[in-house]
Amino acid sequence: MMTSIKLLFLLSCLSVMCFGQAKQQVQQLDSIFSMLSAQQQFNGTVLIAEKGKIFFEKGYGYSNEVNKEHNGIHTIFELASCSKQFTATAIILLKRQGKLDYKDKISKYLPELSFWDKVTIEDLLRHTSGLPEFLGDMAKDWDSTKIATNEDLLRFYAARKDSLQFEPKSKHRYCNTNYALLASIIERVSGKRYADFLAQNIFKPLKMNHTFIYNRREQPKKVRHDAIGYVWSRQSLKKIRSEEPGYGEYTVYSLDGIVGTAKVNSSVTDVYKWVRALKDNTLLTKAEFEEMTAITKTSNGKDIPYGFGLMVSKGENRFSFGHNGSWDGYATMIHHNMIKDRTIIILQNFKLGAFPYNNIVQILDKQTITTEFREKITLPAAEMEKYTGIYTDPENAGEAHAISYLDGHLFYNTTKVNWDMRFFPIKSNEFLGLRQGNYDSILRFTTLDNGDTKMEVVESGTIIGSGIKKKS
């Protein structure tokens, strides 16, 4: 009797301890994302799950800067290049139906591109095709007042007849053209619109009720809980849309009709359904999933860490898959660790948003948390403005560093290049850069014995530039 009571008491204590640890982890995660949000380094929604259970799910910042609607678990984001895994899955399903084969030449389905007769569907899937990048080509040579579609892309290259940039299968080089062509193949083989095929064969079966293809400029519509993608307006701290004159990325308008490489819109909860379906073989068979996540080799024997629409990492006691994306003011990340059954989904509607991946893993694994992103300190405007001005480098007389001040931030440019980089104070003489991803960029100022000010540009601990501003 006493033994049973002691056992129950022990189990109860363990349960309380586990709950306490989980609560602490949630608080740690929220603290990091709240700090990044306050410092304008994060704007979006996060979902983290462990062993099939959602552990952390929360939104930060605004989905719409005009009406001040907050990001949340139901907010819908453009997935950017994370869309590629859905395009690849559509190809897998068509292969299952016997309508195509991975070894088929793309000219079988896209005869207007017969001059690329060595390229196969598998080359498109794994980025081993050698095709040119349409994002660069069409940005230069397409009428920016018109919205291009996949058919326009096919006509564009059919007329140009570009040579391949390398022999298919000899290299792995990420290229968005691959997945745009896959979308065209899906439409021609299935006889359905790309959006309809994905909806009928992937989204609806998995009950991803808030996931769809959305060309927001070609076919605008009202979307409930839609997140607007934002970038910084040049030389300011105002968020605007990519194609507005203050930023001027007009390709987001002119290439808006092209699908396959992007344009899947979804929420974190729907994306989590998708990841679970892949992991549990709900939609694809085990064999199909293994082929999708296989690490193959180029003809030169180098590993290709990319499956079908997924970045893949494999090794001893190591297996994970996922993707990142950045387009039109959105920055996205989907990652699943198969060994730990851990999912991390981060969807942002701010192009320069950070991904505190290392800190997330440290918290979940109960490790010591390192300083991945540093906290902003309060510094009077006068203390920051004293660092503004032109800093010349004796070893580079043709280009000088230009520092300006606005609303608690220093802006970095040169006399030749408008870098438009923003820095906030972390020490009285050090300023950390607001940059995409996990780059550690610092401006460091030192007053010299003669009264001059020396500025150093530090990238990941290495000085990559410096200059002197003469004493006034």
Side-chain angles (χ1 to χ4, degrees):
M1 183 73 155
M2 288 298 293
T3 302
S4 299
I5 293 173
K6 287 181 180 178
L7 180 59
L8 288 172
F9 178 74
L10 179 61
L11 290 173
S12 176
C13 289
L14 288 172
S15 177
V16 171
M17 288 175 60
C18 290
F19 176 77
Q21 288 178 344
K23 185 177 180 181
Q24 182 184 23
Q25 289 172 309
V26 168
Q27 290 173 340
Q28 289 173 318
L29 290 166
D30 184 46
S31 176
I32 289 173
F33 281 105
S34 294
M35 179 191 76
L36 291 174
S37 178
Q39 295 174 180
Q40 303 194 76
Q41 291 179 282
F42 187 85
N43 199 88
T45 302
V46 187
L47 184 150
I48 300 171
E50 291 263 72
K51 295 178 172 54
K53 293 183 179 180
I54 295 176
F55 181 83
F56 183 79
E57 191 177 22
K58 189 173 180 180
Y60 299 83
Y62 297 121
S63 61
N64 188 312
E65 292 286 330
V66 176
N67 64 22
K68 302 302 181 185
E69 182 177 347
H70 288 273
N71 282 318
I73 62 173
H74 301 301
T75 304
I76 294 172
F77 300 81
E78 155 74 56
L79 297 187
S81 285
C82 286
S83 303
K84 290 180 172 68
Q85 54 204 280
F86 299 100
T87 303
T89 299
I91 291 290
I92 294 170
L93 295 176
L94 287 170
K95 197 253 187 188
R96 181 197 293 176
Q97 296 170 12
K99 294 182 178 180
L100 55 75
D101 190 90
Y102 303 142
K103 303 298 182 184
D104 288 343
K105 293 181 178 180
I106 65 171
S107 56
K108 179 178 179 179
Y109 309 102
L110 308 173
E112 59 266 63
L113 304 181
S114 58
F115 47 92
W116 290 335
D117 62 343
K118 292 184 178 181
V119 179
T120 66
I121 289 177
E122 186 171 18
D123 289 324
L124 301 183
L125 289 166
R126 298 194 187 279
H127 295 294
T128 57
S129 67
L131 292 177
E133 175 58 72
F134 84 89
L135 291 181
D137 291 340
M138 296 188 79
K140 291 184 297 183
D141 299 327
W142 176 258
D143 183 351
S144 62
T145 65
K146 298 178 181 178
I147 296 178
T149 65
N150 287 60
E151 288 297 314
D152 289 321
L153 185 151
L154 293 174
R155 285 189 287 268
F156 177 82
Y157 280 115
R160 286 165 55 110
K161 294 182 171 57
D162 289 40
S163 299
L164 294 176
Q165 297 181 346
F166 56 83
E167 185 75 12
K169 299 179 179 59
S170 67
K171 294 181 182 179
H172 165 71
R173 183 183 296 169
Y174 189 88
C175 176
N176 290 281
T177 310
N178 294 322
Y179 276 74
L181 296 191
L182 285 172
S184 294
I185 291 172
I186 290 165
E187 292 191 330
R188 293 190 178 183
V189 171
S190 70
K192 298 178 180 178
R193 291 175 60 249
Y194 170 82
D196 295 336
F197 187 86
L198 266 61
Q200 294 167 15
N201 293 275
I202 301 175
F203 306 148
K204 288 182 181 178
L206 297 180
K207 294 182 171 55
M208 297 172 66
N209 300 323
H210 305 288
T211 304
F212 47 87
I213 307 303
Y214 185 25
N215 305 85
R216 63 184 64 241
R217 294 166 183 82
E218 183 194 30
Q219 297 177 325
K221 60 184 178 181
K222 185 173 179 59
V223 176
R224 191 181 180 195
H225 302 310
D226 182 35
I228 305 299
Y230 291 106
V231 295
W232 288 124
S233 180
R234 302 289 183 190
Q235 301 300 311
S236 81
L237 291 167
K238 178 184 178 182
K239 291 179 181 176
I240 62 173
R241 298 189 185 196
S242 301
E243 74 270 34
E244 291 186 44
Y247 191 78
E249 188 179 358
Y250 302 114
T251 52
V252 300
Y253 173 84
S254 61
L255 304 181
D256 184 70
I258 296 175
V259 297
T261 186
K263 298 304 174 186
V264 175
N265 282 241
S266 190
S267 65
V268 291
T269 50
D270 265 17
V271 172
Y272 182 55
K273 291 178 183 179
W274 162 249
V275 173
R276 295 306 301 178
L278 285 180
K279 186 259 179 188
D280 296 335
N281 305 127
T282 303
L283 182 69
L284 303 180
T285 66
K286 187 173 184 295
E288 288 169 336
F289 177 68
E290 287 176 350
E291 191 163 26
M292 184 182 194
T293 56
I295 291 182
T296 55
K297 292 182 181 295
T298 66
S299 58
N300 297 321
K302 292 186 178 180
D303 283 349
I304 302 172
Y306 197 97
F308 293 174
L310 292 170
M311 300 171 183
V312 183
S313 176
K314 281 186 176 180
E316 186 177 352
N317 197 35
R318 175 169 53 88
F319 177 17
S320 63
F321 65 84
H323 216 290
N324 296 333
S326 178
W327 177 250
D328 191 15
Y330 299 89
T332 58
M333 185 187 85
I334 301 172
H335 182 270
H336 182 75
N337 185 320
M338 289 287 288
I339 306 300
K340 296 184 177 182
D341 192 10
R342 173 183 294 164
T343 305
I344 301 172
I345 301 166
I346 301 177
L347 306 181
Q348 298 193 63
N349 60 317
F350 179 47
K351 185 178 181 180
L352 295 181
F355 296 101
Y357 176 79
N358 292 333
N359 281 165
I360 292 172
V361 172
Q362 289 166 351
I363 291 169
L364 297 179
D365 288 341
K366 303 178 180 65
Q367 299 173 349
T368 301
I369 303 175
T370 59
T371 303
E372 188 174 6
F373 294 93
R374 300 172 70 176
E375 191 167 2
K376 179 180 180 180
I377 67 169
T378 300
L379 203 62
E383 287 296 303
M384 299 181 67
E385 288 177 327
K386 71 180 183 181
Y387 295 123
T388 62
I390 301 297
Y391 291 76
T392 57
D393 181 357
E395 297 183 5
N396 185 12
E399 185 176 19
H401 308 274
I403 304 296
S404 57
Y405 170 83
L406 177 66
D407 193 18
H409 293 74
L410 293 182
F411 282 66
Y412 173 85
N413 294 283
T414 73
T415 51
K416 282 190 175 181
V417 181
N418 181 14
W419 292 102
D420 196 38
M421 292 174 60
R422 299 152 183 80
F423 292 77
F424 62 83
I426 54 174
K427 290 183 181 180
S428 61
N429 69 324
E430 287 191 4
F431 299 79
L432 185 65
L434 287 170
R435 295 184 63 180
Q436 185 171 2
N438 300 333
Y439 294 101
D440 185 10
S441 184
I442 290 175
L443 296 181
R444 181 188 297 144
F445 299 89
T446 307
T447 302
L448 303 179
D449 292 340
N450 64 359
D452 292 348
T453 303
K454 180 179 181 180
M455 182 205 70
E456 295 173 313
V457 183
V458 184
E459 185 76 65
S460 300
T462 302
I463 298 173
I464 62 171
S466 64
I468 302 291
K469 182 180 74 169
K470 295 294 183 180
K471 180 182 178 181
S472 300

